[in-house]
Amino acid sequence: MSDTLYSPAGHSDERSAARRDVSDRTRSGLSQTAARALAVLRIITGSIFLWAFLDKTFGLGYATDAENAWVEGHSPAEGYLASVATGPLESTFHDWAGQTWVDWVYMLGMLGLGLSLVTGVALRVAALGGTLMMLFLWAGEFPPAQHLSDGSPSMSTNPLVDQHIVYAGAMIALAVCSAGRVWGLGRVWERLPLVSRHTWLR
C-alpha cells in the first residue's frame, strides 16, 4: 500500500479534490448522481452528431452509402434540402441544395457539435450554434404543417416539438449545468487563459 495515502501531502491533495468537487456541485446545484447522468446525456447526444458526420463523410453504409460519401465528391446536405416539401423556407432550402458553402457549414457544424459534446468543452458555444442548426432543421420538417406543398398529409405527430427541439433543449441544459466537468475536459477548458477571460466560450 502506498505511503502517499498516509502522508500529509496525500491527504491535502485528496481534500483539495474533494473541495473542488463539492464546490462545482454547489455552483451547479447538482448532486453527483445528477452530474453523472448529465455527462451520459452529453456523450450520447454528442455521439449522434459525431456519427452523422463520419457516416456522411466516409459513407459507412448506414444513412450514406460509400459511393455517396462526401469524400467521393457528393453533397451531404443536398438530399435533405432538395426533399423539403413544406414550410416557409421550402424554396430557400431548394436553392441551397448542392451549394458548397452549405455543405461545409452543415458538416463542420455537426463535427463541432459532436466533438464539443463528447469532450465536454465549449458547451455554451455548442448550445448556441446547435440550437440555431436545430431550428433550421426544424423549419425543414416544419411540424406545424398538416399537409405538404403537394397536398398530401405531412404525417406530423406534434405541431411544435420534434427531435430537433429535444436536441436543442438538451444542449442548452448541458451548457447551463456545466456538464463537461464530469467525465469530460470541462475543468481543463475553463482554466485556459482565453476561456477564463471570455466566459461565453465555456
Side-chain angles (χ1 to χ4, degrees), residues 133-175:
M133 176 182 281
M134 291 304 104
L135 288 177
F136 270 102
L137 294 175
W138 180 89
E141 300 286 340
F142 203 64
Q146 293 181 306
H147 297 86
L148 303 179
S149 54
D150 63 1
S152 61
S154 67
M155 306 303 290
S156 174
T157 59
N158 188 302
L160 295 176
V161 179
D162 68 354
Q163 70 272 21
H164 303 110
I165 301 300
V166 175
Y167 290 149
M171 287 186 282
I172 292 171
L174 292 170

Side-chain angles (χ1 to χ4, degrees), residues 94-170:
H94 289 175
D95 291 340
W96 286 355
Q99 294 196 28
T100 302
W101 72 269
V102 176
D103 291 335
W104 278 95
V105 169
Y106 177 57
M107 294 298 283
L108 291 179
M110 287 199 297
L111 176 61
L113 289 175
L115 292 177
S116 175
L117 291 167
V118 169
T119 60
V121 304
L123 294 183
R124 293 182 183 180
V125 178
L128 177 61
T131 297
L132 183 61
M133 176 182 281
M134 291 304 104
L135 288 177
F136 270 102
L137 294 175
W138 180 89
E141 300 286 340
F142 203 64
Q146 293 181 306
H147 297 86
L148 303 179
S149 54
D150 63 1
S152 61
S154 67
M155 306 303 290
S156 174
T157 59
N158 188 302
L160 295 176
V161 179
D162 68 354
Q163 70 272 21
H164 303 110
I165 301 300
V166 175
Y167 290 149

